[in-house]
Structures are given as structure tokens and as C-alpha cells.
Amino acid sequence: MIYKTFFKGLVLVALAFAQPIFAQTTYQTPPKSIADLFTAPATPSVTFNKDGSMMMILDRTEAPSIEDLAQPELRIGGIRINPAISGPSRAGGFTNIKIKKTRSGEEIQIKGLPSNPKMNGFSLSLDEKYLAFTQTESNGISLWVVDMTTYEAKKLTEPILNQVFGNSVAWLPDNSIIIKAVNPSRGAMPKAPLAPAGPVIQETSGNAAPSRTYQDLLANPYDETLFAYFMDSQLMKVSLDGSKSPIGKPAMIKSMDISPDGNYLLIESIQKPFSYLVPADRFPYSVEIWTTSGEIVKTLAQIPLDEVRPTGFDATVTGPRGISWRADQAATLYWAEAQDKGDPKVKVVERDIVYTLSAPFTGDKKKLVGTTLRFGGINWSDDSFAILNERWFASRVEKRSVINPSNPAQAPKVIIERSSDDLYNDPGNPLFTRNAFGRNVLMRKGELVFMTSEGAGPEGSMPFLSTFNTSTKEQKILWRSQAPYYERVSKVLAADATEFITIKEGTDLQPNYWLINTKKRIAPIQLTSFAHPYESIKGIKKQLVTYKRKDGLNLSAVVYTPEGYDPAKDGRLPVLMWAYPREYKSAADAAQVRGSKYTFTRLSWGSPIYWVTRGYAIMDQTEMPIVGEGDQEPNDFFIEQLVANAEAAIDHIVELGVGDRNRIAVGGHSYGAFMTANLLSHTNIFAAGIARSGAYNRTLTPFGFQYEQRTYWEAPEVYFNMSPFSFADKVKTPILLIHGEADNNSGTFPIQSERYYNALKGHGATTRLVFLPHESHGYAAKESVLHTLWEMDTWLEKYVKNRK
């Protein structure tokens, strides 16, 4: 009898899983209060020239239509290509360019721009007499240039640029431009075979090749042919009169980089064999040094296929990596090579060695410095001073040291060693200035390095500008943001940092640019006057709240309530809690306050703040720290700490007199969706959940996920316990699942939502699955975003605000 009942149950579940889950519907629009906020005009983007005397103000395109996203698209080698243009399929663009003089305020409209502008890739020539940009046309990508004396734009080439992979435009010192063009001889796009030539076979000979779950990989020989076709490129030199000449031979060019003196090119070209396991940036490639006329000077390296790599975030490849030009030298290359075979488990004295090689590149490489952690780059100044960066993910340690490039025997002097999670003691990041080569080098005065920091503290972030003495390790704050504003340095104008430009904002103050002079003690001068795009929410209340978890850990969130709301008079509100969990190796670091209550209330497509217009209280940036100190891994305590975080947040919003305990929803995107599903699997404290573009079965990402470095086989219980799929039978709370059907994020395959929905449905949960056609991990089309907002609003109204 028991056997028959069990078998009958299996049949019912199988039938339920076999039922169709898809039903086509039309796009819906959310209530006007939400739709108007999403369709508000975008604030222009601003960039500065070298000395800050000129601002370039760029108007952005609106959200694309679903018709735009529905154009033909190739998804191969981990990249997405619009075959009609030999460029990215989902790139936006800018619609207008204005130039504004910083000090006089004079504003100049660039004339002669494309008639249907979709501009990108803006770059000034080294002497700043010309501005180059690309224009996406219906049949390709063209190069344009603006004369910065007449402020007139003209088309320099037909739509011949190849922007499938890497950069495609670079200025030479003589104001000619090197472009990466489509190979003129590549012919017509290969046609798909009517029938396959045979099965697709992959084989391994016993070497371990753990790999994370990448999307859009090559899948068959035709994909390989298409990839080679669209990567096929020819470098060309283009003069300002539009004449052009080829440079070197065509190749599958991955990247090109001009030496600071303009005499050499560093060329990386993808080679075969391709891979079906990893994306194109891990395919084999050659590294060559060319003259700017196309002559091969030296083959620096032949980098093999990067399929076999040790596990862990501190793992890396063997052989040369990160080959780049020194910013402070005319033509000197530097790169790192792992000394531990790229395996963080191997114990060595030096993890990496940094080598250099100078023009004419006929000698042997020279050791510059060795590292004890993984190499993280060098900030160059001159031949006597540079800052070496190192990091180690497993312990969250980052280290910065001063080195003397002219004397490699001189030991690095450690100036900063800290936890990367420790915001309160973060001295900040160095500022840069342009040298004679037009390259970014450290802004410094002797032993003093100028820096900017987020300025985090118990009251929230208060950014500052400072000097850091690399000899004494003392930091002197030169300027700091003051309440009730959130203000940060954008561009330093004076060599002693007494004059600079900031971006200043407040809760209801649209971010704008200001000129500050601390030496002359004159009042700050407002440089831009961008309008507030969200008039309807100007009066909402925003506060940064802090509270404690049951184990004493400090937590924080940003709470928004409707304009004029008074808990004493208006009673408790339904609440939408939005969060994204983060892992920490220190409880002290996890307890630090993040963010600021003075930042402008900016609404992105995925923001939860829209619902403040619908009478909800919003808990945004709700901290969900997961801590594992010492040898303990954070994810060993994921569920218990996640639940404790949520309980503390609910208790606090209720204690404030704002939230109604029985009408609280939780939601998140990506790992936040994973969080939401876990909370609904292990608690009944929420009225509803919203999970967008998440992963719910961790066995589908067996070689690691998020910040989990262990594989499924090393920690099977962690993978099982952290998978909401494992506990689909426990979910009693209504949950809305939304996913882009073209999600390209590692691990969040659309099948994650499909299988999780089936599991929930099979166990009688209240759930709804929405697949958005043509959408990736983030949603782009206007119709898709408005429909997503409608879905969320309908769900919240039914299961939270009007909960029965």
C-alpha cells in the first residue's frame, strides 16, 4: 500500500512537471507613477580633457526597443555579435556632443554629427586638437573625427571597423589614427551547412580541466568558422583627410596597443585550436611587437589554450600574462609570470615575478620585482618611483609597495597592507595625471601621493581628497565631503590639489559638477545645471538605518518612505526589502556601514525605489553579510546567517513603527534572487518574494559560484544546502520568478528558473515564471523593463499590500 501511494505520487509529480509552462502574452505597462519615473530623461555623461579646461557633455540614447534587441545575433566564443555590423549586438550609444569651457561656461554644439547618431568610443588626440568617435550604422561601424578648433565633425571612413573583440581605434602622436578594420578580403559570411558533417566530439586524456559555467560558447565546427570569420581583421592607418593604408597582415586580432612613443604596436592575435569549454579570451594567442608600419619586430610569446587551470580565485595561468607598456617609458613592456604554476595551493617564496623588456627588444627579459601575493598591477610614475599592487582573494589581503624601477635589487617598501573588505581604514586610490606621452602616471610630489577615498565610517561615506606620505605612511586630508551632501572629486586641476572639480549630490539634489579652490578660499562655482529627473519623488524621506543581528553583528540599510509619511498618523506600511548577500572573512569588516544617506535617489531599471510611489516603505541595500573567519568558509554558515540577517531587518523596520510585519516582501536580482529563494525555503517570515535572473541549483555550477572557491566534490553538502531547488517542497510563500531568456551571465542559465519553477509547481507552491524574450542578465528593452515593473507591481499588490 505504501509502495502504491509512493508510486502514485511520483506519477502525479511527473505529470505536473510535464505540463507546458509557457504562455505568450503581450507586454504590459505598470501604473503611471512607476512608468513616468522609468521613462524620465537620462542625465548626460561628462568627461574632461587633460587639464580640465574643457568638458565634453554627451546625451545618451533612450532604452532600446524590443525590435532593436530582436535583430539577428550570434552568440559564439562567449561574445555576442551583430553580424550586420561586425560589432557588439547590445551596445548603446550617445546622441549628441556639446563642449563646455570649464571656467567661462561657454557651451558649444558640435556641428555635422551623424543624422541618426549612435556614437561611442570618444578619444582625444594627444595634442587634443581632434576628437575621434565611432558611429554605428545599419551595415557597420564608421570612424568620425571632430576638429576641436572649428567644432565640426566629419566622417573619416566608411563603416569598416571591426569591433567584435577589443579596442579598434588608437591615436598616433602625428594625429593619424590606427584602426582595426574588417579584413577587406574576408568575403561573404559563411552559410550554415544543410546537415552536419558528423557528431560533435570532445575528449580529454586525463588532465583535470575544471571550468566555471560559461555561456555562449562555441558548440560545433560551423560556430568555429563563424568565429574565425568575424575575428578576421586588418589594421589600417587613417589620416585626417580620410586616406588609409594597411598595416601588417590580416589576423584574428584580439587587441592592439601603441607604445607611448608611438613607434611600436603590441598585437595579440587569437590562434587555433579553439575551445568548446571556455570563452574566446582564453583561446590560444600570439603576442607580437610590430612597428607602426607593420613589420614584425619580435614574437614575444605564444600563449596556449587556457582550459586547464587550478581552482580558486587566486589561480591563474602559467607563462606571461598582462603584457602592457610602461606608462613612464617610451617603449618598455612589462608582464607577470606565476612561479607557483598558477596554483594557489603551491607554497612558494615568490608567487609572481614581474619582468620588463625595452626597445629594440633584442635583449633578454629582466626581472623587475617579485611578489608574495598575486600580482595586481603597477601604478607608474618615473624610473625612480612606482607602486606595486598585490592581492590574495582567499584572505582578502591587498598590499601596495613602493618600488624603484631603476634599481630592481632594492626591496619593495610596503606602504599599505589591509583587508580589501575594511572600508573604514581604506586610504583610497591614487590620482593620476598625464605625462608627455599622454599616459596616466601617479600624481605625486616627492614622497607624497595624492589619493581619493570613499571615506567610509559609522555615519556612512564621506569621500575625501588627501596626500599619502609613502615614507611615514601618514595621510593628510586636504578636503572632505560635508553633510548633508555626498560629494566626490572628479578631476584635479592644480598640481598641489588646491583646485579640483567635484560631483556634488544630495538626497533630492541632482548630481552636478562644481569647481572648488581651497587656496583662494572663494565660493565653489557650479559648472553644470542638470535638471532633477524625478520631480514626483522629490519629497520622499531617505534615511540610513543601523541595527544589530542576534549575534551582535551591526547591520545597515537605506529606508525610503513616501512623501509626507508620518508613522504616528498614517500607520504601518507594506515593505519591499531588496538585498544582495556578500561574503566576508571578518565580522568586524562585515559590520561596517556601507553607502551614504546623502546620495541622490537615482533610479535604474532594476531599482526597488519605484514602489515608494505606490505607498510602500523600501529597505534598499539591506546588508546580508555572510561571515566565515580564519579557516572557516562563509558559505558553511550561509543559511543560518542569511535568516538571521532577514529577521534582524524585519524586526528593525517594525520597531521603527514603519513596517507591517505581515506585509513584507523580499527581492533581489542575480545572487539576490538566489538569496530570496533561500529565504523563502527556510522561513515563513515574508508575505512574498521576487527573484530576478537567479541560480537555484548549485550542482549546475559545480566548479564554484559567486565567491565559493570549492568544487561540488569538495563540499557537496554546501552545494546541496545552498540550493533552493533542494528545498522546493518547503516553499509556502508566493514567489515571482523573472529571467531574461538570453541570459549570458556565468551560472544563471535560464534553465535555472525553468527547473526551479517546475520543482515549485510540482509541490504546489504559488509561483509565476516570466521569461523576457531577447533579454540578457540585465534587462534593456523599454518594453521588457516596463513589463517587469508591471509584473512586480501586480505581485506586490496582490500578495503584499492587499494580503488576505
Side-chain angles (χ1 to χ4, degrees), residues 151-402:
Y151 301 104
E152 296 232 5
K154 69 175 182 178
K155 188 175 183 177
L156 214 55
T157 73
E158 292 305 306
I160 60 173
L161 271 64
N162 189 333
Q163 292 194 329
V164 166
F165 201 111
N167 63 318
S168 62
V169 178
W171 284 98
L172 285 168
D174 65 358
N175 284 350
S176 58
I177 304 172
I178 292 182
I179 64 169
K180 183 172 66 175
V182 169
N183 181 2
S185 303
R186 75 177 183 178
M189 177 177 164
K191 293 183 178 180
L194 295 176
V200 176
I201 298 172
Q202 298 184 58
E203 183 177 1
T204 180
S205 58
N207 292 325
S211 179
R212 292 171 81 87
T213 48
Y214 299 107
Q215 311 274 46
D216 302 336
L217 300 178
L218 299 180
N220 52 56
Y222 179 58
D223 280 357
E224 293 190 57
T225 302
L226 284 177
F227 178 81
Y229 174 81
F230 281 102
M231 284 296 299
D232 193 8
S233 304
Q234 172 68 60
L235 293 188
M236 296 183 181
K237 182 177 180 180
V238 181
S239 300
L240 291 173
D241 62 5
S243 60
K244 51 187 182 291
S245 57
I247 299 174
K249 295 180 179 181
M252 291 185 286
I253 298 176
K254 179 180 180 181
S255 69
M256 62 166 181
D257 191 9
I258 299 173
S259 62
D261 64 4
N263 291 328
Y264 299 96
L265 291 168
L266 179 66
I267 304 295
E268 295 182 350
S269 301
I270 290 178
Q271 309 292 315
K272 292 183 177 181
F274 302 149
S275 171
Y276 292 8
L277 289 179
V278 293
D281 60 2
R282 293 176 66 171
F283 288 2
Y285 64 96
S286 66
V287 184
E288 295 176 332
I289 305 168
W290 296 5
T291 64
T292 49
S293 61
E295 177 187 353
I296 298 177
V297 176
K298 184 181 182 68
T299 298
L300 189 66
Q302 294 284 355
I303 309 298
L305 175 64
D306 181 18
E307 273 188 351
V308 180
R309 187 187 291 192
T311 58
F313 293 105
D314 294 309
T316 190
V317 296
T318 57
R321 72 176 194 275
I323 304 172
S324 304
W325 297 107
R326 274 183 60 167
D328 64 324
Q329 297 273 300
T332 297
L333 291 167
Y334 72 102
W335 66 89
E337 294 185 22
Q339 304 302 297
D340 55 8
K341 300 181 180 180
D343 189 347
K345 297 182 180 67
V346 173
K347 294 183 178 180
V348 290
V349 175
E350 291 182 316
R351 283 286 167 191
D352 290 324
I353 291 179
V354 181
Y355 293 100
T356 64
L357 183 65
S358 298
F361 312 108
T362 53
D364 295 328
K365 65 184 181 183
K366 296 180 180 179
K367 178 180 177 180
L368 175 65
V369 68
T371 69
T372 57
L373 308 178
R374 194 63 77 203
F375 175 66
I378 294 177
N379 305 131
W380 299 99
S381 179
D382 55 37
D383 204 34
S384 66
F385 191 102
I387 294 179
L388 169 70
N389 298 280
E390 305 173 56
R391 48 114 182 121
W392 197 251
F393 174 83
S395 59
R396 309 299 197 270
V397 172
E398 68 173 28
K399 183 166 65 172
R400 302 183 207 180
S401 306
V402 170

Side-chain angles (χ1 to χ4, degrees), residues 533-600:
Y534 314 119
E535 290 291 331
S536 64
I537 60 170
K538 260 191 170 182
I540 66 172
K541 184 179 179 182
K542 175 182 180 180
Q543 56 181 325
L544 179 65
V545 300
T546 58
Y547 49 95
K548 289 185 180 295
R549 202 164 73 179
K550 63 183 179 182
D551 60 0
L553 189 72
N554 290 324
L555 302 175
S556 64
V558 180
V559 174
Y560 300 84
T561 50
E563 181 179 4
Y565 169 70
D566 183 346
K569 296 179 181 179
D570 303 321
R572 296 184 179 274
L573 300 176
V575 178
L576 174 56
M577 182 188 301
W578 206 258
Y580 191 96
R582 300 186 186 278
E583 295 87 350
Y584 297 90
K585 293 297 293 180
S586 160
D589 291 345
Q592 293 180 355
V593 174
R594 285 162 172 79
S596 168
K597 59 185 174 183
Y598 302 125
T599 53
F600 180 66

Side-chain angles (χ1 to χ4, degrees), residues 400 415-416 418 423-431 447-455 463-480:
R400 302 183 207 180
I415 56 172
I416 298 169
R418 56 181 291 274
L423 298 185
Y424 288 3
N425 295 296
D426 181 7
N429 294 308
L431 287 167
E447 301 298 318
L448 297 180
V449 174
F450 292 88
M451 305 180 75
T452 58
S453 173
E454 181 66 11
F464 62 77
L465 169 67
S466 72
T467 57
F468 186 91
N469 191 312
T470 57
S471 290
T472 64
K473 303 181 185 179
E474 294 178 354
Q475 190 164 31
K476 179 183 178 182
I477 295 178
L478 306 176
W479 170 91
R480 187 164 200 148

Side-chain angles (χ1 to χ4, degrees), residues 29 55 156 320 338 353 544 568 597 724 746 750 760 794:
T29 302
M55 308 166 64
L156 214 55
I353 291 179
L544 179 65
K597 59 185 174 183
S746 176
L760 292 169
T794 303

